[in-house]
Amino acid sequence: MEDVEQKSREQLIEELELLKQEHNYLLLKHQATLKLNKNNITNTILNIVSDLVFIKDVNGVWIYCNQAFCNFIGLDKTDVIGKTDYDLFPKDAAEFFCEQDRLVLNEKAPRKNEESITYPDGKKLYFEAIKSPFYEEDGKICGLIGIVRDITQYKLIINELEESQKKLEMFFSQSMYGFFYMMLDEPVHWNDTVDKEETLEYVFDHERVTKLNDAILVHYRATREDLIGMTPRMIFSSNPDLGKLLWRRLLDEGKLKYEFYAGTDMFVEADYRCFYDNEGRILGHFGIERDVTEQKKTIEELEQAKEAADAANKAKSQFLANMSHEIRTPMNAIYGMAELLMDTQLTEEQYEYAKTIRESNEALLTIINDILDISKIESGKLVMEFVEVSLEETISSVVNLMGFKAIEKGIKLNTVINIDKHCVLMTDPLRLRQVLLNLVSNAIKFTQEGEVLLRVWTEQTIDSGKIVRFEIIDTGIGIRLEDQKQIFQPFTQVDGSTSRMYGGTGLGLSISKRLVELMGGTIGLHSELGKGTTFWFTISLIEHGPLIYSVV
């Protein structure tokens, strides 16, 4: 009986031992599965992240890298695992990386630093690296793990910003313009949701000069310590109302331009612009101030010189206009005496002498009349008198007077009038006749053969009268296109040879243009060199009662 019990006990113990072994096996298998799953999850996560992740042993041999690292270096994992930095990177970079790894392992602490790689083609890449040691279960260091981020683009942007900042600082400090910053102690809103009077008072006391360049110090003859920290209230201590008016405009518009005297002898042109944060609050403003004293003096001197020149020119014109009677009277006397002398018993030679005196006097009188007319126009002394005018009579008088000159040159003077011959309109008859005489005389002067045609017709009817167009067409020498632009300028001839060959002062067309414009019309020309010229002008012929006015 005892033997049976002993045997059963041993069998039970054996079965229990088998169950224990099976349990341990299943536990280890489960732990291995969990570990494998954990590793798979970790690998999946590491391969998803964009940062470069790697593991090295204490000898610097690569034992792991994620997919991002492989993509970056352009190698498969099988080409990386088991290699060292000297196998993967240029020598200089490999030595630097190994030195950083030794510091991590020796200090037994994580390190963060910037690293770079320069490739043979000159390309340089920047990285931010974090390296940390990892340990075995017994606490012994078995290697290091690293996470690297490509910061090349970030580094380039920072470098560009730093370079721009250096250039800005150099420009800021060396510019002849005065630059400064004024910043608020706290940002402020400037809109309909705030009490603007209260906000303005805050700005006036809490916006301070924080930075300025040497040019500002020169402008105000001050030291940096004098100006740094100044508020608008301190700046405008002598006139706070003006300061608040200007600052309100600056806050309203976000910018301000104005001019002022800095001290007693310097005139400054200022340009201010506000700074804002992402919420639209005002942070302060930036200012540029330019010393424009010399420019201001130059402008004032030019204005004074212009006023003096205008006054002198007006005085000259007034003098010439006032001398009209004194000059014309003796000239008319000479002309009259020559006429009387020619009516007496003279020899042929004496008659030619008297005729020369009369013609020379007539030419001189024409020149004087032109000069006096242009002087009257420029001095505002010319009076236009609008009376009843018969176009038929005016045109007939011009044709009769100019007909003799045309006959002497052997050319024809014709007229074509397409308006009512008995039409009586309101205009200045003397000035209309003067313009026609100038243009017809010019046409005859510059035409050697062919004809001169005076054509008149109603071009357009408006409510207050008729627009009548006059055309004087010749077959003369014509005018070059480049000369047509200046033909109506005073004392202008198309060239020097014309002046010598045909004579004249160059005032006739200028006077005609002024007179046509004073009569409310326009004047112009069409010409082709060697084929002739057409001068035209239009006048609004008023059908109202007489009107007299002085044109200044």
Side-chain angles (χ1 to χ4, degrees):
M1 187 68 178
E2 290 180 358
D3 292 338
V4 172
E5 290 179 353
Q6 180 66 33
K7 185 179 180 181
S8 297
R9 190 181 299 114
E10 290 176 357
Q11 185 178 1
L12 179 61
I13 291 172
E14 185 179 346
E15 290 175 352
L16 289 173
E17 185 65 30
L18 290 173
L19 288 172
K20 181 181 178 182
Q21 291 177 2
E22 184 177 358
H23 175 268
N24 289 338
Y25 170 76
L26 292 174
L27 180 61
L28 290 173
K29 183 177 180 182
H30 178 68
Q31 289 177 343
T33 302
L34 289 177
K35 187 175 181 180
L36 179 61
N37 289 339
K38 185 177 179 181
N39 288 338
N40 288 336
I41 292 172
T42 302
N43 282 331
T44 301
I45 293 173
L46 292 177
N47 285 325
I48 290 175
V49 298
S50 58
D51 291 338
L52 316 183
V53 181
F54 60 88
I55 299 175
K56 302 178 187 177
D57 65 17
V58 291
N59 297 316
V61 177
W62 290 69
I63 58 178
Y64 174 81
C65 65
N66 68 346
Q67 190 60 44
F69 184 89
C70 293
N71 294 339
F72 171 78
I73 203 169
L75 297 173
D76 293 329
K77 285 185 180 182
T78 55
D79 297 324
V80 175
I81 304 303
K83 301 294 178 60
T84 68
D85 291 339
Y86 290 95
D87 299 318
L88 302 175
F89 304 108
K91 182 180 179 181
D92 292 344
E95 290 178 350
F96 176 79
F97 295 155
C98 290
E99 178 62 26
Q100 295 298 314
D101 293 349
R102 280 192 291 270
L103 291 174
V104 173
L105 297 174
N106 291 337
E107 295 175 1
K108 299 180 180 180
R111 287 182 64 87
K112 180 179 178 179
N113 60 281
E114 286 189 6
E115 300 176 352
S116 64
I117 300 175
T118 302
Y119 289 93
D121 61 0
K123 183 180 180 181
K124 191 171 186 179
L125 300 179
Y126 295 89
F127 306 93
E128 181 182 72
I130 301 174
K131 297 178 180 178
S132 177
F134 70 94
Y135 305 86
E136 293 181 355
E137 291 180 0
D138 59 1
K140 182 181 178 181
I141 294 178
C142 60
L144 62 84
I145 182 170
I147 301 176
V148 178
R149 178 167 294 171
D150 185 353
I151 59 170
T152 304
Q153 194 62 34
Y154 168 78
K155 194 74 175 177
L156 292 175
I157 293 173
I158 293 298
N159 290 342
E160 289 177 2
L161 288 174
E162 290 176 351
E163 188 64 26
S164 298
Q165 184 68 21
K166 289 179 183 178
K167 292 179 180 178
L168 180 60
E169 288 294 333
M170 183 176 65
F171 176 73
F172 186 89
S173 61
Q174 298 182 4
S175 174
M176 296 179 64
Y177 290 169
F179 294 121
F180 68 90
Y181 291 91
M182 291 188 73
M183 306 301 291
L184 283 159
D185 294 343
E186 295 292 338
V188 298
H189 284 289
W190 186 263
N191 51 43
D192 295 337
T193 64
V194 300
D195 184 335
K196 290 190 175 182
E197 289 300 326
E198 182 178 332
T199 304
L200 182 60
E201 289 294 331
Y202 175 83
V203 172
F204 226 57
D205 289 322
H206 294 274
E207 190 181 25
R208 309 174 192 280
V209 177
T210 57
K211 189 174 182 179
L212 45 80
N213 67 346
D214 292 341
I216 282 284
L217 304 180
V218 174
H219 285 181
Y220 294 100
R221 298 180 178 87
T223 65
R224 198 171 299 275
E225 291 72 20
D226 294 332
L227 300 182
I228 293 292
M230 289 193 73
T231 64
R233 193 177 299 280
M234 298 165 66
I235 295 171
F236 290 94
S237 58
S238 61
N239 193 348
D241 291 338
L242 173 62
K244 290 180 180 179
L245 176 65
L246 293 173
W247 249 243
R248 177 178 281 275
R249 282 172 50 193
L250 173 61
L251 298 175
D252 282 341
E253 300 176 12
K255 58 185 179 180
L256 174 67
K257 286 187 178 183
Y258 77 109
E259 297 177 343
F260 62 94
Y261 276 101
T264 58
D265 59 349
M266 187 176 72
F267 197 77
V268 173
E269 182 181 77
D271 188 349
Y272 302 158
R273 300 298 171 103
C274 286
F275 294 124
Y276 299 88
D277 64 11
N278 293 333
E279 298 178 17
R281 297 179 300 177
I282 296 175
L283 300 172
H285 75 272
F286 172 71
I288 303 175
E289 294 185 355
R290 295 173 285 273
D291 181 358
V292 293
T293 308
E294 292 301 319
Q295 295 93 313
K296 193 74 173 177
K297 288 181 180 179
T298 300
I299 292 173
E300 291 176 353
E301 289 172 357
L302 289 174
E303 289 177 349
Q304 293 173 0
K306 182 178 181 300
E307 290 174 359
D310 290 343
N313 188 53
K314 188 173 182 179
K316 174 207 70 176
S317 298
Q318 288 177 340
F319 171 77
L320 290 174
N322 292 334
M323 289 297 292
S324 174
H325 177 72
E326 285 74 8
I327 294 175
R328 280 189 173 119
T329 298
M331 295 299 298
N332 287 331
I334 295 172
Y335 185 86
M337 290 298 103
E339 286 280 353
L340 292 174
L341 183 60
M342 290 173 65
D343 290 337
T344 63
Q345 295 291 328
L346 299 173
T347 65
E348 184 176 349
E349 184 178 11
Q350 291 171 334
Y351 181 85
E352 289 299 323
Y353 290 160
K355 183 180 178 182
T356 300
I357 292 173
R358 185 191 68 179
E359 290 176 350
S360 298
N361 182 83
E362 185 178 17
L364 184 58
L365 190 59
T366 299
I367 294 172
I368 292 173
N369 286 338
D370 285 347
I371 295 174
L372 293 173
D373 279 343
I374 199 71
S375 299
K376 279 185 177 182
I377 292 172
E378 291 180 350
S379 64
K381 295 292 186 180
L382 186 66
V383 176
M384 304 291 289
E385 184 174 1
F386 286 71
V387 298
E388 290 186 354
V389 177
S390 169
L391 281 179
E392 183 184 12
E393 293 179 2
T394 302
I395 294 170
S396 295
S397 67
V398 171
V399 172
N400 290 337
L401 187 60
M402 291 292 101
F404 294 105
K405 289 188 176 181
I407 292 172
E408 289 177 357
K409 293 196 68 173
I411 61 176
K412 297 178 181 179
L413 176 58
N414 298 320
T415 61
V416 176
I417 303 174
N418 293 326
I419 60 174
D420 185 355
K421 293 184 178 181
H422 303 291
C423 181
V424 177
L425 299 170
M426 306 300 298
T427 188
D428 189 313
L430 293 178
R431 299 307 175 186
L432 176 59
R433 183 173 181 271
Q434 183 177 352
V435 172
L436 288 171
L437 285 172
N438 276 341
L439 297 180
V440 173
S441 176
N442 262 2
I444 294 173
K445 181 195 301 186
F446 294 104
T447 301
Q448 302 303 320
E449 58 182 3
E451 68 170 348
V452 172
L453 175 64
L454 171 57
R455 186 165 62 182
V456 185
W457 77 93
T458 302
E459 185 179 64
Q460 181 181 353
T461 300
I462 59 176
D463 294 340
S464 60
K466 294 183 178 180
I467 299 294
V468 178
R469 183 180 180 93
F470 299 81
E471 286 188 351
I472 296 86
I473 306 168
D474 66 56
T475 56
I477 61 176
I479 304 170
R480 293 180 304 179
L481 182 62
E482 55 269 28
D483 293 325
Q484 294 178 26
K485 299 177 182 178
Q486 60 181 4
I487 197 69
F488 291 107
Q489 296 298 319
F491 305 102
T492 298
Q493 297 259 356
V494 293
D495 57 45
S497 63
T498 300
S499 181
R500 291 189 296 272
M501 183 181 298
Y502 296 99
T505 61
L507 286 173
L509 291 176
S510 177
I511 293 172
S512 297
K513 182 178 185 295
R514 304 285 188 91
L515 292 178
V516 168
E517 290 172 350
L518 290 175
M519 287 187 286
T522 56
I523 189 171
L525 77 152
H526 306 291
S527 184
E528 187 174 350
L529 192 63
K531 293 186 178 181
T533 303
T534 298
F535 278 93
W536 59 266
F537 67 94
T538 60
I539 296 179
S540 300
L541 298 173
I542 305 170
E543 295 182 299
H544 299 163
L547 173 66
I548 301 176
Y549 62 90
S550 176
V551 178
V552 179

